[in-house]
Amino acid sequence: MILEKIFFSYSRADGSAFALKLALDLKKEGFNVWIDQEDIRAGSEWDLEIEKALETCDCLLFIETEKSVASNNVLDEVYYALEEKKKVIPLIVVDSKTPFRLQRLQHIDFTKNYHTGLGLLINELQDTTAAQSFLPNEGEPVAKAGTPFYKKTAGLLLIVTSLFIIIPSA
């Protein structure tokens, strides 16, 4: 399922360049993103436009930087989205003190490699892949494969089969 509208929550003081780059890359992939710098028209009331966008978004991307974790405006946006049960994805751009309410949410790390982070984010937004993890000392994600059912239950199947062979013989 591709989300209808993705809201960017970030601090302009230290996250503006990253936010604009990411918004452009997501738009190229066909996502409907809402970012204040491009979507609030001149003369519009800033707070009303933010409120409308938050109400109509499906997902909020929290761009974590040193200034965003200390911004009341950013945290108001993020906490509103959480309270409204919207999907919130923290994106670590600058490793900072993550706000308490966001610590339990799985994040995507952009600090080491932008393109790897972008790929993981796109997969998450499209919800088309299994969970991914990183192998030690490797930079590319690898999909986790679950153990097949027959391998999980092989011992039990062997015991049950043996009982069927032994019991009728007795």
Side-chain angles (χ1 to χ4, degrees):
M1 169 188 114
I2 293 181
L3 300 169
E4 295 295 320
K5 189 189 318 185
I6 302 165
F7 183 97
F8 278 65
S9 185
Y10 64 100
S11 170
R12 282 195 186 188
D14 63 351
S16 186
F18 177 86
L20 285 171
K21 177 178 176 40
L22 183 60
L24 180 64
D25 288 341
L26 290 177
K27 282 182 182 181
K28 286 179 187 174
E29 294 293 323
F31 292 99
N32 179 14
V33 304
W34 189 94
I35 184 165
D36 60 346
Q37 293 183 64
E38 293 183 356
D39 293 305
I40 297 179
R41 298 178 54 94
S44 298
E45 292 187 40
W46 179 84
D47 54 341
L48 293 177
E49 294 299 315
I50 294 284
E51 186 177 356
K52 280 193 277 186
L54 277 169
E55 287 174 356
T56 60
C57 77
D58 301 301
C59 175
L60 180 140
L61 300 180
F62 168 63
I63 299 174
E64 182 175 315
T65 61
E66 290 177 358
K67 301 287 186 191
S68 70
V69 299
S71 167
N72 287 333
N73 287 337
V74 171
L75 295 178
D76 284 347
E77 295 165 358
V78 174
Y79 296 156
Y80 172 83
L82 287 171
E83 289 165 7
E84 294 297 314
K85 308 283 190 257
K86 295 177 185 282
K87 185 177 186 90
V88 174
I89 304 173
L91 308 178
I92 311 301
V93 176
V94 175
D95 200 8
S96 318
K97 184 171 178 6
T98 303
F100 179 75
R101 288 182 68 186
L102 298 177
Q103 289 177 4
R104 69 182 127 196
L105 297 179
Q106 184 63 27
H107 65 272
I108 297 177
D109 190 346
F110 278 83
T111 62
K112 293 175 183 66
N113 186 305
Y114 176 84
H115 294 291
T116 299
L118 178 63
L120 290 170
L121 177 59
I122 289 170
N123 285 339
E124 182 62 32
L125 293 172
Q126 290 175 334
D127 197 25
T128 59
T129 61
Q132 297 185 347
S133 66
F134 289 96
L135 295 177
N137 301 321
E138 293 190 22
E140 292 302 314
V142 177
K144 289 183 181 178
T147 305
F149 174 76
Y150 68 90
K151 285 187 178 181
K152 289 181 188 176
T153 58
L156 180 61
L157 290 173
L158 184 60
I159 292 169
V160 171
T161 304
S162 298
L163 289 173
F164 280 116
I165 293 172
I166 295 171
I167 292 175
S169 311

